Amino acid sequence: MQAGQTLVLLGSSGAGKSTLTNALAGAAQDTGGNRAGDSRGRHTTTVRSLHVTAQGACIIDTPGLRTLRLDGEADQLGAVFDDITALARHCRFRDCRHENEPGCAVGDGVSGERLRNYHKLLREARRDTLTALERKAMVSQWKARGRAARLRMNAKRG
Ligand SMILES: Nc1nc2c(ncn2[C@@H]2O[C@H](COP(=O)(O)OP(=O)(O)OP(=O)(O)O)[C@@H](O)[C@H]2O)c(=O)[nH]1
Ligand SMILES: [Mg+2]
Ligand SMILES: [Zn+2]
């Protein structure tokens, strides 16, 4: 690591990002012990910060990642898989799902592995949207139940 280089530390909480930052840049970042019972961290660091090493390199310490999941919409995938998007215009069916349909230009035009990756990410993106909707439905159900319970209580009290 030399002047002009920047290093970003990413990883789950307790991985030792702040400990490395302190060792490499002489910083004074708080470091946290791991939770008793399992070896997970305690999310000690809560904000990003930049530090300079004696050699002049930069180190960015970050809060531990909580979850790693696909961040984006299903239709944004089309921009990443632009080869598939372009080929899809030549499929026989306009709503072709590129899963063994006859006259599918995508199946013929890209490798099996690329198509599998595309479908995998598409499934993941859709599952994410679904759970967001489901969560919303669940919250409104809870609210309705709470309201009903309050009404019953008030009726009892007269
Ligand atoms: N034995 C050992 N312990 C380490 C090492 N690196 C870090 N630790 C310990 O692991 C614990 C967590 O280290 P941190 O540097 O706070 O971890 P972090 O990645 O910054 O965690 P968050 O800020 O929660 O995201 C601390 O108790 C450190 O002392 C290592 O190389 N060896
Ligand atoms: Mg930290
Ligand atoms: Zn197709």
Side-chain angles (χ1 to χ4, degrees):
M1 291 183 63
Q2 299 150 12
Q5 293 189 309
T6 303
L7 178 93
V8 183
L9 295 165
L10 294 175
S12 52
S13 177
K17 300 178 294 296
S18 300
T19 305
L20 271 175
T21 304
N22 292 345
L24 294 171
Q29 290 287 92
D30 280 344
T31 58
N34 288 341
R35 289 198 309 221
D38 59 25
S39 58
R40 291 176 185 221
R42 298 168 185 270
H43 292 285
T44 308
T45 306
T46 53
V47 293
R48 283 168 298 192
S49 57
L50 181 89
H51 308 268
V52 184
T53 69
Q55 294 80 31
C58 291
I59 297 184
I60 298 173
D61 187 19
T62 66
L65 300 173
R66 283 170 192 274
T67 52
L68 191 61
R69 67 166 195 208
L70 190 65
D71 187 18
E73 306 282 326
D75 52 334
Q76 283 172 0
L77 268 186
V80 179
F81 289 87
D82 53 352
D83 49 345
I84 291 184
T85 309
L87 284 167
R89 288 190 206 109
H90 305 289
C91 292
R92 183 179 304 165
F93 304 113
R94 212 148 62 94
D95 64 348
C96 183
R97 283 165 295 136
H98 326 304
E99 293 169 352
N100 288 328
E101 283 106 321
C104 174
V106 174
D108 296 336
V110 300
S111 76
E113 194 189 0
R114 181 138 175 93
L115 192 55
R116 270 194 300 282
N117 285 340
Y118 171 74
H119 280 134
K120 205 167 153 186
L121 285 174
L122 198 60
R123 275 199 302 277
E124 198 170 314
R126 291 212 173 118
R127 199 174 308 141
D128 220 30
T129 342
L130 206 73
T131 46
L133 286 174
E134 282 168 351
R135 207 176 305 129
K136 223 170 163 180
M138 207 162 66
V139 168
S140 51
Q141 203 177 42
W142 285 341
K143 278 188 184 161
R145 264 187 218 152
R147 254 197 316 272
R150 269 197 306 281
L151 281 177
R152 271 199 304 279
M153 287 277 280
N154 290 344
K156 254 187 208 167
R157 284 198 198 118

